[in-house]
Amino acid sequence: MRDDWAIDGGSGERSVNNATFIAVEWGTARVRSRLLTASGEIVDSTVEDVRLAELDRSAQIGRLHRVRARWPEASGIMWLAGMIGSPMGLEPVPQLPCPATPAMIAAHGRHLPIDGLSLAILPGLSCVSRFGDPDFLRGEEVSVAGLIGTGRSENALLLSVPGMHGKWIELSASRVERFHTAMTVELYRVLAERSILAPLMATSAQDGEAFRAGLSRSIEGGALARLLFSARTAVLSRRFSEEEAASYLWGVLIGSDVRDGLPRGEGVEPRCFVTGADDVAPLFRAALDHMGMRVELVDDNRLSAIGFAKIRQAAVQEELA
């Protein structure tokens, strides 16, 4: 039976000594390092909470040396993605304009030796969104390459919600076409910390009647500010309880995001894939399902591993050409 989450045409090589490599996703607050096979299987991994802004260049290099020492059997080049390629990171790498393929991402990475390490830092992506706004990402290009690598990206929409800012990424069979960013998760957290609604947002959200009510109200349209305040009045009038308010508010925010984020009137509706934080990604999946979309929740860890393997594979093929 075909494994849908494997690289199409992958080598299938499983030897740790001969085919493993190191891949590092380095964000603003977290570093995820993996030892991967050539086909994207995860052999070992580590996750550290690290604020990039608090590390100088020497400290960043020191952490990479520790990763290298953990897996001395891996091939020489370490592959890096995320904010480590931004001006606040180890080496600024300009974003690659869309449309972009995994091979183009590999080719526009920056290969450099630093203090005995051999590094390949991926570029991230830039585009003009379908709304006409310039937009940028760093790190999500790896998940995108992973989805392309599985052969399931034709007319696909990948929604990545790993933290504060969600990326709605539109794909064709072989490349990223464009994307846009939404601050939905960050907006919820700001409201939960500093707004009059904060007392109603102490509980965890659940996909249920209150969440679906918020979705429906928001998907129908209307000013977001008014709909958010309706949570307070609904509790005061006892339409639902304080415990349900957080779910309703998540529904309002996610419904607004989904209504805006889905491309409409452009032919066949896309197949949607959602990946990201465990507390948020399932709510987005539920919202897309509520709208009748074809949607699948995907393990970001697995998808990123496949993506690194796909990009590395493209780089090796280019060298051999």
Side-chain angles (χ1 to χ4, degrees):
M1 185 175 182
R2 179 176 181 268
D3 179 3
D4 285 331
W5 298 107
I7 297 177
D8 278 3
S11 67
E13 177 62 66
R14 298 298 182 99
S15 170
V16 171
N17 290 326
N18 296 327
T20 57
F21 69 100
I22 296 171
V24 181
E25 287 181 275
W26 198 322
T28 55
R30 177 170 294 182
V31 180
R32 183 185 295 272
S33 306
R34 302 181 185 89
L35 179 66
L36 303 175
T37 69
S39 60
E41 295 296 325
I42 301 171
V43 179
D44 194 12
S45 65
T46 65
V47 179
E48 296 181 275
D49 292 327
V50 180
R51 293 193 63 81
L52 181 59
E54 296 175 358
L55 301 180
D56 61 15
R57 181 179 177 84
S58 177
Q60 293 172 26
I61 294 171
R63 285 191 173 272
L64 290 175
H65 271 293
R66 288 197 290 274
V67 172
R68 173 83 262 180
R70 179 183 176 93
W71 298 308
E73 73 276 20
S75 61
I77 298 176
M78 298 175 65
W79 292 80
L80 280 64
M83 295 303 291
I84 195 68
S86 73
M88 69 186 297
L90 192 60
E91 183 78 16
V93 182
Q95 281 106 336
L96 170 67
C98 291
T101 65
M104 293 167 64
I105 293 170
H108 284 77
R110 180 158 295 173
H111 295 252
L112 67 161
I114 297 180
D115 193 31
L117 297 171
S118 181
L119 307 178
I121 304 177
L122 300 181
L125 300 174
S126 66
C127 77
V128 175
S129 76
R130 63 186 175 87
F131 303 104
D133 303 313
D135 213 331
F136 306 92
L137 62 75
R138 287 192 186 275
E140 290 89 354
E141 74 272 21
V142 178
S143 295
V144 166
L147 189 55
I148 292 172
T150 68
R152 305 177 72 188
S153 61
E154 178 68 41
N155 192 37
L157 182 66
L158 175 62
L159 171 56
S160 176
V161 282
M164 296 295 191
H165 304 151
K167 304 289 183 180
W168 293 80
I169 307 170
E170 300 172 46
L171 297 98
S172 61
S174 62
R175 67 185 192 180
V176 187
E177 299 295 336
R178 57 190 178 183
F179 57 89
H180 70 269
T181 304
M183 296 174 59
T184 304
V185 179
E186 182 174 13
L187 179 56
Y188 184 90
R189 292 178 179 171
V190 170
L191 290 170
E193 292 173 2
R194 301 186 180 183
S195 78
I196 194 173
L197 300 174
L200 306 178
M201 304 171 78
T203 59
S204 299
Q206 304 292 331
D207 177 18
E209 185 176 346
F211 177 72
R212 299 281 173 142
L215 281 179
S216 296
R217 290 290 305 278
S218 197
I219 289 170
E220 289 170 0
L224 184 58
R226 172 176 58 79
L227 293 173
L228 289 171
F229 193 77
S230 71
R232 177 175 168 82
T233 57
V235 170
L236 291 174
S237 63
R238 299 183 181 178
R239 287 191 176 182
F240 50 74
S241 67
E242 289 189 9
E243 289 73 22
E244 295 173 309
S247 298
Y248 175 84
L249 286 163
W250 262 124
V252 167
L253 285 169
I254 291 177
S256 175
D257 193 355
V258 169
R259 175 169 52 85
D260 187 60
L262 287 174
R264 294 291 184 177
E266 299 182 17
V268 179
E269 287 187 343
R271 180 171 186 175
C272 302
F273 297 89
V274 181
T275 185
D278 291 342
D279 59 336
V280 178
L283 296 176
F284 276 92
R285 187 212 62 78
L288 289 163
D289 180 72
H290 182 72
M291 295 187 68
M293 304 298 295
R294 296 177 300 160
V295 57
E296 183 175 342
L297 189 63
V298 183
D299 177 16
D300 181 61
N301 188 35
R302 180 75 182 111
L303 197 60
S304 294
I306 295 172
F308 271 115
K310 180 70 175 178
I311 292 169
R312 179 175 180 263
Q313 183 184 83
V316 170
Q317 290 173 346
E318 178 64 24
E319 289 180 3
L320 295 177

